[in-house]
Amino acid sequence: ATMDVLSEERWAHNDKLLMRNGPFAVPGFEPSAELRSFLMNECRVLVIGAGGLGCELLKDLALCGFRRIDVIDMDTIDVSNLNRQFLFRAKDVGRDKASVAAEFVNQRVPGCQVVPHYKRIESYDQSFYKQFTLVVCGLDSIAARRWINNMLLSLLQYDDEGNLLQHTMIPLIDGGTEGFKGNARVLFPGISACVECMLDLFPPQVNFPMCTIANTPRLPEHCIEYAKLVQWPKEKVDLALDGDDPEHIKWLFDKASERASQYGIVGVTYRLTQGVVKRIIPNVASTSAVIAAACANEAFKLASSCCAHLNNYVVFNDTDGVYTYSFEYERKPDCMACSRVPRVIECQPQQTLTMVIDKLMTDEQYQLRAPGLTTQIQGKNKTLYMQKPAGLEEATRPNLDKALQGTVRRDGSSEFVTLICVDG
C-alpha cells in the first residue's frame, strides 16, 4: 500500500535530523516539527537542468522531502541520453526533458509537486526567480551559470547605508561534472564568492567574437563557426541544425572548407567540425550521482539549519581511487559581477574595438560571451558596439575597425577612458 505522504514512518529519516539536536547542528538550531512542514510545504526549490546531473538532483531532492520543486530545461530527449538520464525511457525520445522528468518524479514520490518549464532560463525575468527559496544548478554550460549568477545578484536590495537586505538573497547551489571529476559549491550572492569570482577555475570558453568570425577569421574554428552561425541559418531557414546528423556535419564541413580556402586558412577537418559543433562534455553516471547527492545534502542543510553548510567549494575525483577536498574560495574584491568596482584594462590608443572585444572574450579574467561597449562623452552615453538587437549591431559595426583614439575621447588630464561593458 502507498504510504501516507506525511506519515511518521515515511519521513522518519528526516525527523532524526529535524526533531533532535546534534553535534553538527548550527548554533541556535531549535529542533521542531515545523521544520518538516517548512521543508515540505513552504520551501520552494528551482532546479536548473534536467540532464545527467538534473535527473539525479530531482530524485534526491524529492526523496529528501522537498515537495515544491520547479525544473527548467530547454532540451529534448535524445536516444543517447537514455544510458544515464534514468528518468527517461525510449518512449520519451523527442519530448522535452523538463516535462518527462516532472511526470516521473511526481508519480514515483507521492505528494511531490514538480512543475516543469520547457524554456531557456533567459525566458524569465526577476519576478519568476524571486519566488524561490533555493536555486540548484545541474548545468553543463559556464555561460548559463554566469547568467543565473547575474540574475540572482540583480535581485539583491540594500538599505540606505549600503547594507544587504538578507531576505533578498537567494542561495545558489551549483554542481558540475566532467568524466570522473566533479565539484559542488554553495554561493550566497552578495555575501560570498560568486560564479564570476571563481571563473578562473574553469578553462576559457570556446567562444569566438562574431566580429572576428564574420570579418577577420584567423583559425579553422572561425570558419566552422561562420558556417554554423551565419551560413546555416541563411541557407537552411526551416531546418534545425542537428549535430548528430552526418549530412548536417558534412554540409558545415564543406562550407567551412570553402571559407578557409578564401582566407588561406588550413586545418578544417570533418572531425574538428564535429568537435566545434557539438562541444560534448563527457558524463559518467556515478560522478553525477555523487555530485547531485552533495548538492541535495547542502539544500537540506540550508533549508533546515540542522547542520553547517559547505563553505564553500568541494572537489571530487575518482579517476584513480577516490579523492575529495573542500576549501573556501574567497570573494574577489574587484569582481566584475558582485563588487561594483571598475576594472582597469590596459589598451593602446591604436588598438581597435575589435581587439578590445577579443580581449574581453578570450582573456581568462573576463571570458565574456557577447560584450557590448558604451562610453560617456560630455556626460552623455555613446554606444560603441552592441551585438543585439540586430539593428543596433548593424549601426555600430563600422566602429569595430576604428582605433580607440578615434572612437572615444578623454579628458586631457586623465590617462583613463571609461568603457561601460555589458555581456549579452
Side-chain angles (χ1 to χ4, degrees):
T2 302
M3 199 175 297
D4 182 73
V5 177
L6 294 176
S7 70
E8 296 296 323
E9 186 179 357
R10 177 65 179 86
W11 303 106
H13 60 292
N14 279 1
D15 291 344
K16 292 178 181 178
L17 298 170
L18 302 178
M19 299 182 67
R20 63 184 186 183
N21 219 324
F24 299 109
V26 175
F29 170 72
E30 297 184 3
S32 170
E34 294 178 359
L35 287 174
R36 184 212 284 173
S37 177
F38 170 78
L39 196 76
M40 302 183 73
N41 302 315
E42 298 178 43
C43 184
R44 191 169 177 189
V45 181
L46 174 64
V47 176
I48 303 180
L53 192 55
C55 285
E56 292 280 357
L57 283 170
L58 289 169
K59 177 259 294 180
D60 290 346
L61 290 170
L63 294 177
C64 279
F66 292 97
R67 299 202 305 175
R68 300 187 64 193
I69 304 172
D70 289 56
V71 58
I72 180 170
D73 195 296
M74 58 172 284
D75 203 4
T76 56
I77 300 167
D78 185 80
V79 68
S80 63
N81 303 143
L82 302 181
N83 70 327
R84 63 193 183 280
Q85 298 175 19
F86 58 87
L87 300 183
F88 312 139
R89 300 293 182 266
K91 63 181 176 61
D92 300 321
V93 171
R95 295 186 61 195
D96 69 277
K97 290 183 177 181
S99 296
V100 176
E103 291 171 6
F104 192 104
V105 175
N106 289 340
Q107 182 178 12
R108 182 65 180 82
V109 184
C112 199
Q113 304 163 10
V114 181
V115 178
H117 303 273
Y118 176 40
K119 290 182 179 292
R120 300 174 61 90
I121 56 174
E122 299 91 341
S123 301
Y124 292 105
D125 58 14
Q126 292 182 334
S127 62
F128 173 78
Y129 290 101
K130 66 172 55 174
Q131 304 174 81
F132 299 100
T133 311
L134 300 170
V135 175
V136 187
C137 290
L139 293 162
D140 59 1
S141 164
I142 297 175
R145 287 184 175 92
R146 297 176 72 181
W147 191 93
I148 192 63
N149 176 69
N150 289 330
M151 169 56 72
L152 296 182
L153 286 171
S154 73
L155 299 178
L156 300 179
Q157 296 179 18
Y158 299 83
D159 62 20
D160 294 338
E161 297 179 355
N163 299 313
L164 175 64
L165 300 178
Q166 296 281 344
H167 70 276
T168 65
M169 187 272 298
I170 301 175
L172 173 64
I173 302 170
D174 178 52
T177 68
E178 183 173 355
F180 292 100
K181 303 174 184 178
N183 66 81
R185 50 187 172 173
V186 177
L187 311 178
F188 298 96
I191 298 176
S192 66
C194 72
V195 172
E196 295 287 336
C197 293
M198 302 181 180
L199 203 57
D200 54 2
L201 291 176
F202 301 95
Q205 302 174 81
V206 188
N207 285 332
F208 305 104
M210 178 58 74
C211 47
T212 299
I213 295 171
N215 301 321
T216 56
R218 301 185 298 273
L219 302 172
E221 289 87 349
H222 293 163
C223 301
I224 298 169
E225 287 282 2
Y226 184 83
K228 172 188 171 184
L229 300 176
V230 179
Q231 293 178 291
W232 181 276
K234 283 184 177 180
E235 301 185 32
K236 306 284 186 179
V237 179
D238 298 322
L239 183 61
L241 178 61
D242 183 357
D244 295 314
D245 189 325
E247 293 185 4
H248 291 192
I249 298 297
K250 178 64 165 58
W251 189 93
L252 293 175
F253 167 61
D254 292 339
K255 293 294 183 180
S257 298
E258 292 175 8
R259 184 167 178 81
S261 64
Q262 294 174 4
Y263 286 87
I265 298 172
V266 297
V268 176
T269 64
Y270 184 87
R271 185 173 182 179
L272 180 63
T273 303
Q274 280 184 308
V276 171
V277 172
K278 298 182 69 174
R279 298 182 183 178
I280 299 173
I281 297 177
N283 183 281
V284 176
S286 59
T287 309
S288 294
V290 171
I291 297 303
C295 291
N297 192 35
E298 294 306 318
F300 187 89
K301 290 190 288 185
L302 287 178
S304 65
S305 298
C306 68
C307 186
H309 60 77
L310 172 69
N311 184 30
N312 52 12
Y313 199 100
V314 61
V315 294
F316 170 82
N317 188 336
D318 64 347
T319 303
D320 185 14
V322 177
Y323 172 80
T324 61
Y325 177 70
S326 63
F327 63 95
E328 179 182 2
Y329 198 99
E330 295 184 358
R331 186 179 181 185
K332 286 188 175 180
D334 61 347
C335 173
M336 293 181 67
C338 67
S339 71
R340 304 179 181 179
V341 175
R343 295 287 292 271
V344 176
I345 304 175
E346 293 186 4
C347 299
Q348 299 300 320
Q350 65 271 19
Q351 283 186 287
T352 64
L353 280 186
T354 295
M355 294 177 181
V356 176
I357 292 174
D358 278 353
K359 182 178 181 66
L360 292 172
M361 295 188 70
T362 58
D363 193 308
E364 62 181 22
Q365 295 184 67
Y366 313 113
Q367 298 188 46
L368 302 185
R369 293 181 300 162
L373 296 174
T374 64
T375 188
Q376 288 189 341
I377 297 177
Q378 297 179 349
K380 296 182 179 180
N381 288 338
K382 176 185 177 182
T383 300
L384 302 178
Y385 181 71
M386 287 289 172
Q387 299 198 24
K388 295 177 182 178
L392 186 57
E393 193 281 331
E394 184 177 356
T396 56
R397 190 184 307 160
N399 289 334
L400 291 173
D401 295 327
K402 294 180 180 179
L404 290 176
Q405 61 185 3
T407 309
V408 296
R409 301 175 184 174
R410 63 177 174 84
D411 180 5
S413 61
S414 172
E415 296 180 358
F416 298 95
V417 171
T418 300
L419 291 177
I420 303 171
C421 179
V422 295
D423 190 17

